[in-house]
Amino acid sequence: MTLHLRPRGALLAVALSAALGTLAPAPVLAKPAQAATVDIPFEEFTLPNGLRVVVHTDRKAPIVAVNIWYHVGSKDEPAGRTGFAHLFEHLMFQRSENHDGEYFEPFKQVGVTNQNGTTNTDRTNYFENVPTTALDMALWMESDRMGHLLGAIDQAALDEQRGVVQNEKRQGENQPYGQVWEKLNRALYPVGHPYHHSVIGSMNDLNAASLDDVKTWFRTWYGPNNAVLVLAGDIDVATAKEKVARYFGDIPAGPSMAQPKVNVAQREKSTRETMTDKVPQARIYRAWNVAEVGTADIDQLQLFAQVLGGAKASRLDQRLLHQDKLVDNISAGAYSSQLGSNFMIMATVKQGVDPAKVEAIIDEEVRKLIKDGPTAAELARGKTAFRAGFIRGIERIGGFGGKADALAECTVYEGDPGCFRRSLKVINDATAADVRGIGAKWLGPGDHTLVVEPGARVALAEEPSATPKPFNPPAVDPKFSTLPTQVERSSGVPQTKTFPELKFPQLHRATLKNGTQVILAERHDIPVVQFSYEFPGGFTADQGRKSGTANFTMDLMGEGAGKLGALPFADAADMLGASLGASASLDSASVYLSALKENLAPSLALYADMLRSPRFEQGEIDRVKATWIAGIQQEKVNPNAVAMRVLPPLLYGKGHPYAIPFTGSGREADIQSLTRQDLVDFHRDWLRPEQGTLIVVGDTTLKEIVPLLNRQLGDWRSTGPAPQVKATVDVARPAKGRVFLIDQPGAVQANLFAGQVVPSTLDAGATPFDIANGVLGGDFTSRLNMNLREEKHWSYGARSSASSTLGQRPWMAMAPVQIDKTGEAMAEMRREIADFASAAEPVTAPEVSRIRNIQTLSLPGAYETASAVLGTISGIVRYQRPDDYVFKRKAEIEAMTPAQVQQAAATLDPNALTWVVVGDLKQTEKEVRALNLGEVTVIDADGNPVK
């Protein structure tokens, strides 16, 4: 469960023109092929009780996305009850009248994927992907909480979720720049405007929420006539009509609630304010209130934002990042909402630079774009970016931004499930004059600028709570009726007895002329082809080199290649709708391309240049180096990131290849000392075609792709001797527990981490350990989360995980908790781990069954996207697994017994944990020392003892 601090326009950010035919940005690129038509066909119907249902059929996987949107958000909260919409979203995941238990439980038993709920200013939604055979269960559950919730809500449930939400609020505010949106909301919208307050609301209002408030909210807003249900995937409209009528038809309608009138609140005067936070750099936020969702204006503003600051070679990036080198990052975007939207520019200012200088250049560039409009090339690139984003987005049937989300958003906000077609056309037809005019209309005086400067974190004072007013919802509209009772609910949740068969695409293999092994998995559902060229090494290849060399070198590969410098290279990729990147992980490095099928050949030409001849220009090295070091400084003030910097060296010990910041960013002094030759040497030594494997997933065949690859890469040859990855040496665990404290003055939460090394991913016991970890902390319903979140409500979420590695794996348990519960929460974590490992609280058969089902029954839907397939093939390559690995692992898990899982749990030693606690030392140190978990040492953000 989560919230969106600002709503997102899933469609407006992903639409685009198809007219690419004559737009070749550089001689290396061939004329693009004919653009493929993209669409989301749908059918719809409405039940007598007002529930509107939209159906999209997509048979590529045996799963159905269930996505239900209620047209209520924080804009609808009465005075004195801010945060109520989001609080109620959490309550919807509790029990209902006919299901006693966590809402997630039945879904976990059928292999659900992408299950969540979110709240924003305008709507609350709930979604999940389930196997086709489990659709009855999903619809029964959704309908039970829609029609049968009130009798199950009690004071205990309200108090529990109130505590969880308040910790979610603390968690957000505890992050660097974490109070910005609250400030912006208050400044951009006057008191009384529905957007003046944040979605998560105030602590005082959350504390004041009563059980009567909860029940009134439900009766008012959660009727079927205020909802849209989208079913997408392995379903047709006839099946949908029968099932939806059966489960939802007898639920009576609620009141017909009027939506607030559109109130953009366009401002006449520009305003500004400054705040301080515990951050290493100043950050500028400049925002305008602009046109609402569903207008051509907001679509065209998306295009304006793309040209101004939405791309790597956009105007603001060119000027402030590349030319004047005054910022470490900058972006522009238009974020659509029902009553009015926001156009936002955000810039992170380099240390030592006066923010006013950056502001002046932002002003200048906005004025120039309004005065002159975009060039023909800028306009074409912007349109291509939206079209490419739309194509990639509709690969998924469900989840954030998938097809079900797009259809629901259009239906709720515009009354037309196909409104994305209008947005596509508006973007497609936009002229330079349109873009220039839309900027002039909306981006003049009236902006608000917020500058966050380094300094002490000052808690944002809550505004006085308004006096709650009695709320009497209108009567139910008599036009609504219900169908005769269809479901006997007393018999409980429908049982799913059969499940779809796991299918994984066949792997086709070939060898390029350069010695590279090619593995292809065909996927013809969208016109996109993805590539990942994988090489050994990764962070471990930094041995004998400066820390961060691998990741820095890979990152620089995208800053110009062949004959194209950094900006022309980015322009060329944008023109083709191609996405290119390179990165390193602990044990490997990879170079990535996602290409539109219509532009496959020219996209591969860019990709080949990036692989073979990155430019590594000194100017780009210097620019990225400064930004990289600033990023390290940002990591040191982020609770999670700083823990990932210091915990691995503590676990593995000095000199071990994994004894590095797991962020991959290296250490400041090492990055500062990197030379161009360091990068050239790393590229020469480790990106060797004969040691590489090129994974291809998407809309192509071996017959088509191998000749294209050989044309671009066949004559690529390595030079010099090939280095070998040094085998990792196992390290001993500490003889007893250790605790390391990092001071974060003013923090409202403590971030707790407990770590330990466990056997490698290659170990025969790796899979049983994964199941054991699932029971302890690897799932929402795990022991750690149910304890600290659901029972104690001290945390927004607790979890544990073990990364996949060739050497010993790092296992970590983590929980952000309210700071006054630091000691108690650590004691609970220690007890849960100890009872689990020692079998004092032995693994139970239901726990194993739940994690087994999560791990296996979800598999038919787990490979819905090409990226998921590519990731699995990558693991097959890295860990030398057989092609049928997914089937063998499934069989291993299905046969696993509680005894085997308990044996794997014993891998953990609760007496040899290494703890890292990030929080306000004045509030945590005494409590932590009193626990006697081991020697306590205060360290700084670099892991050095503080004396």
Side-chain angles (χ1 to χ4, degrees):
M1 293 85 81
T2 188
L3 56 83
H4 289 124
L5 295 181
R6 296 301 298 150
R8 56 192 167 84
L11 304 172
L12 300 177
V14 292
L16 154 94
S17 149
L20 297 172
T22 60
L23 304 173
V28 71
L29 304 177
K31 179 180 177 180
Q34 180 64 39
T37 301
V38 291
D39 192 21
I40 312 174
F42 62 87
E43 297 177 81
E44 60 176 316
F45 59 92
T46 302
L47 294 186
N49 60 12
L51 178 64
R52 191 168 179 181
V53 185
V54 183
V55 182
H56 165 70
T57 302
D58 181 343
R59 304 288 190 183
K60 70 181 176 186
I63 55 174
V64 180
V66 180
N67 194 331
I68 188 163
W69 284 39
Y70 294 90
H71 201 171
V72 58
S74 62
K75 74 181 188 324
D76 304 298
E77 291 162 349
R81 291 295 180 262
T82 64
F84 205 84
H86 175 240
L87 174 61
F88 194 85
E89 175 223 311
H90 279 249
L91 287 165
M92 285 282 278
F93 283 95
Q94 300 292 93
R95 65 190 184 97
S96 55
E97 292 172 358
N98 300 293
H99 173 67
D100 187 15
E102 289 286 334
Y103 185 81
F104 290 103
E105 190 63 33
F107 290 90
K108 298 296 183 182
Q109 297 303 323
V110 300
V112 69
T113 56
N114 285 313
Q115 185 175 29
N116 210 329
T118 74
T119 308
N120 68 20
T121 53
D122 304 317
R123 61 95 187 106
T124 308
N125 70 352
Y126 305 89
F127 52 90
E128 59 268 339
N129 292 355
V130 295
T132 308
T133 53
L135 180 58
D136 285 279
M137 179 279 296
L139 294 177
W140 190 98
M141 290 293 293
E142 287 288 1
S143 61
D144 207 60
R145 63 176 170 181
M146 176 189 281
H148 306 274
L149 188 75
L150 280 185
I153 297 177
D154 56 19
Q155 190 65 46
L158 174 58
D159 291 342
E160 175 186 318
Q161 291 308 313
R162 188 197 334 258
V164 171
V165 169
Q166 288 178 328
N167 274 300
E168 182 179 0
K169 180 177 171 69
R170 293 184 186 102
Q171 184 169 318
E173 292 176 353
N174 204 47
Q175 302 302 309
Y177 312 99
Q179 300 180 112
V180 162
W181 274 111
E182 185 82 39
K183 276 273 194 184
L184 288 173
N185 288 334
R186 296 181 187 181
L188 288 169
Y189 297 101
V191 174
H193 190 285
Y195 292 168
H196 176 75
H197 64 273
S198 67
V199 175
I200 204 163
S202 78
M203 287 290 193
N204 290 336
D205 286 359
L206 288 169
N207 282 327
S210 70
L211 203 55
D212 284 344
D213 292 331
V214 170
K215 295 188 176 184
T216 300
W217 186 266
F218 177 79
R219 293 188 190 102
T220 303
W221 294 107
Y222 272 74
N225 50 310
N226 196 45
V228 169
L229 171 64
V230 177
L231 300 175
D234 187 19
I235 190 170
D236 53 60
V237 72
T239 303
K241 284 182 176 179
E242 184 273 323
K243 291 184 182 296
V244 173
R246 186 196 319 166
Y247 292 111
F248 291 86
D250 62 350
I251 299 174
S256 294
M257 298 302 296
Q259 289 293 313
K261 292 181 179 179
V262 170
N263 182 3
V264 172
Q266 190 172 11
R267 306 164 81 247
E268 294 182 356
K269 296 181 179 179
S270 297
T271 55
R272 61 181 299 109
E273 62 182 321
T274 301
M275 64 181 289
T276 59
D277 196 0
K278 189 173 174 58
V279 294
Q281 300 167 265
R283 183 173 287 173
I284 300 165
Y285 298 82
R286 177 163 294 176
W288 288 261
N289 293 343
V290 297
E292 72 276 14
V293 69
T295 61
D297 284 19
I298 191 63
D299 292 343
Q300 292 173 353
L301 280 167
Q302 298 279 0
L303 204 47
F304 188 102
Q306 183 72 15
V307 173
L308 179 66
K312 195 171 182 179
S314 64
R315 292 193 177 191
L316 290 176
D317 281 74
Q318 288 191 48
R319 179 74 184 278
L320 285 165
L321 197 63
H322 290 267
Q323 179 182 316
D324 297 345
K325 298 179 174 63
L326 300 177
V327 302
D328 285 313
N329 56 66
I330 189 159
S331 63
Y335 305 98
S336 58
S337 308
Q338 180 179 334
L339 307 183
S341 306
N342 299 125
F343 189 98
M344 173 77 68
I345 299 170
M346 186 184 76
T348 305
V349 181
K350 282 188 177 294
Q351 288 186 349
V353 172
D354 184 357
K357 188 174 184 180
V358 175
E359 288 187 59
I361 293 174
I362 291 172
D363 286 341
E364 180 185 339
E365 291 298 330
V366 171
R367 288 197 304 268
K368 282 168 62 177
L369 185 53
I370 290 173
K371 176 179 177 292
D372 302 328
T375 66
E378 286 176 321
L379 188 63
R381 286 194 297 270
K383 292 180 177 184
T384 304
F386 283 107
R387 180 169 184 274
F390 182 80
I391 290 172
R392 293 184 175 104
I394 65 172
E395 181 183 16
R396 288 176 292 113
I397 60 166
F400 290 112
K403 288 189 281 190
D405 228 16
L407 292 167
E409 180 176 321
C410 274
T411 310
V412 167
Y413 293 151
E414 300 190 41
D416 172 17
C419 79
F420 59 88
R421 295 166 182 158
R422 177 198 55 76
S423 291
L424 285 164
K425 188 174 189 309
V426 169
I427 296 284
N428 182 49
D429 294 346
T431 65
D434 291 333
V435 176
R436 181 177 67 244
I438 209 67
K441 178 178 179 180
W442 290 104
L443 304 181
D447 59 296
H448 179 72
T449 299
L450 173 63
V451 180
V452 184
E453 295 181 339
R457 173 172 291 169
V458 179
L460 189 61
E462 293 202 345
E463 293 185 315
S465 293
T467 302
K469 297 178 181 179
F471 180 60
N472 297 308
V476 176
D477 190 327
K479 73 180 179 183
F480 295 111
S481 61
T482 60
L483 298 171
T485 299
Q486 298 288 313
V487 178
E488 174 50 58
R489 292 187 178 271
S490 62
S491 58
V493 183
Q495 298 300 302
T496 306
K497 297 181 179 179
T498 61
F499 294 91
E501 181 184 354
L502 166 61
K503 294 181 180 179
F504 190 77
Q506 181 181 354
L507 303 188
H508 305 278
R509 295 176 181 270
T511 303
L512 298 184
K513 294 176 181 178
N514 62 20
T516 292
Q517 299 298 307
V518 175
I519 303 176
L520 167 68
E522 295 185 27
R523 300 272 303 207
H524 300 287
D525 47 314
I526 61 169
V528 173
V529 187
Q530 296 187 36
F531 302 81
S532 184
Y533 220 136
E534 309 223 343
F535 303 92
F539 302 164
T540 56
D542 283 347
Q543 295 174 82
R545 287 180 158 91
K546 300 159 186 172
S547 69
T549 299
N551 219 14
F552 191 88
T553 301
M554 301 303 290
D555 187 67
L556 260 291
M557 289 179 66
E559 300 292 343
K563 297 179 180 179
L564 302 177
L567 292 175
F569 187 86
D571 278 345
D574 288 345
M575 184 65 75
L576 294 167
S579 176
L580 299 102
S583 63
S585 61
L586 274 176
D587 295 310
S588 67
S590 61
V591 185
Y592 175 79
L593 166 67
S594 175
L596 300 183
K597 180 63 181 287
E598 66 217 43
N599 297 324
L600 181 56
S603 297
L604 279 173
L606 275 184
Y607 186 51
D609 278 347
M610 183 177 173
L611 282 158
R612 302 179 63 163
S613 51
R615 293 170 71 93
F616 296 139
E617 293 180 351
Q618 190 61 51
E620 300 302 330
I621 293 172
D622 294 341
R623 175 184 62 80
V624 174
K625 186 183 291 186
T627 298
W628 196 277
I629 291 170
I632 293 174
Q633 293 167 348
Q634 291 281 0
E635 290 175 0
K636 291 180 179 180
V637 298
N638 181 292
N640 290 323
V642 72
M644 290 305 98
R645 291 187 64 82
V646 303
L647 184 51
L650 295 172
L651 293 179
Y652 289 98
K654 188 175 181 180
H656 192 281
Y658 293 170
I660 54 175
F662 274 7
T663 58
S665 53
R667 299 181 177 87
E668 289 158 276
D670 284 345
I671 297 298
Q672 187 63 58
S673 67
L674 280 175
T675 66
R676 182 180 187 277
Q677 194 59 48
D678 290 330
L679 275 58
V680 170
D681 290 347
F682 185 91
H683 177 265
R684 178 200 64 225
D685 290 348
W686 288 102
L687 271 72
R688 307 175 70 88
E690 76 279 6
Q691 291 190 344
T693 300
L694 182 52
I695 304 169
V696 185
V697 181
D699 189 15
T700 190
T701 63
L702 274 185
K703 183 178 180 180
E704 175 189 39
I705 201 62
V706 170
L708 288 173
L709 292 171
N710 272 326
R711 189 178 309 155
Q712 298 293 343
L713 298 164
D715 61 349
W716 181 23
R717 296 291 183 271
S718 302
T719 59
Q724 296 297 317
V725 177
K726 297 178 182 177
T728 57
V729 178
D730 283 358
V731 298
R733 293 171 175 170
K736 54 186 178 180
R738 305 172 295 170
V739 182
F740 297 88
L741 305 179
I742 300 176
D743 193 14
Q744 191 184 43
V748 295
Q749 280 192 322
N751 287 67
L752 313 179
F753 299 83
Q756 191 165 87
V757 295
V758 297
S760 161
T761 300
L762 302 176
D763 185 80
T767 299
F769 183 82
D770 287 341
I771 303 302
N773 178 73
V775 172
L776 178 62
D779 180 67
F780 183 89
T781 57
S782 66
R783 294 185 180 188
L784 285 172
N785 193 62
M786 296 306 291
N787 182 337
L788 295 180
R789 173 182 163 126
E790 297 297 290
E791 294 172 19
K792 304 291 194 309
H793 43 83
W794 295 342
S795 174
Y796 179 55
R799 66 190 190 279
S800 64
S801 63
S803 301
S804 294
T805 54
L806 291 170
Q808 284 172 304
R809 304 165 78 185
W811 175 85
M812 301 179 192
M814 54 212 78
V817 300
Q818 60 193 73
I819 203 154
D820 61 335
K821 299 297 182 182
T822 301
E824 292 171 272
M826 288 181 71
E828 284 299 302
M829 290 177 69
R830 168 66 170 71
R831 182 187 61 77
E832 289 283 9
I833 295 167
D835 288 353
F836 181 67
S838 68
E841 292 282 346
V843 173
T844 67
E847 286 178 318
V848 174
S849 176
R850 182 177 66 247
I851 303 302
R852 178 194 296 123
N853 291 343
I854 292 169
Q855 293 276 333
T856 60
L857 298 181
S858 63
L859 289 173
Y863 300 110
E864 177 193 2
T865 66
S867 293
V869 173
L870 193 152
T872 296
I873 300 173
S874 176
I876 287 173
V877 171
R878 185 174 308 141
Y879 304 112
Q880 299 179 358
R881 293 166 170 161
D883 284 5
D884 61 352
Y885 168 75
V886 294
F887 299 97
K888 288 183 174 177
R889 185 176 189 274
K890 178 175 181 286
E892 181 184 7
I893 294 172
E894 287 173 338
M896 203 166 294
T897 66
Q900 290 173 304
V901 177
Q902 187 63 63
Q903 183 179 2
T907 301
L908 297 174
D909 182 355
N911 298 313
L913 294 170
T914 298
W915 294 85
V916 171
V917 180
V918 186
D920 188 336
L921 211 59
K922 293 179 181 178
Q923 301 182 68
T924 61
E925 184 174 10
K926 184 178 179 180
E927 283 190 38
V928 172
R929 289 186 182 277
L931 294 172
N932 293 317
L933 295 178
E935 182 180 0
V936 177
T937 306
V938 180
I939 59 175
D940 62 20
D942 291 309
N944 301 314
V946 175
K947 298 180 180 178

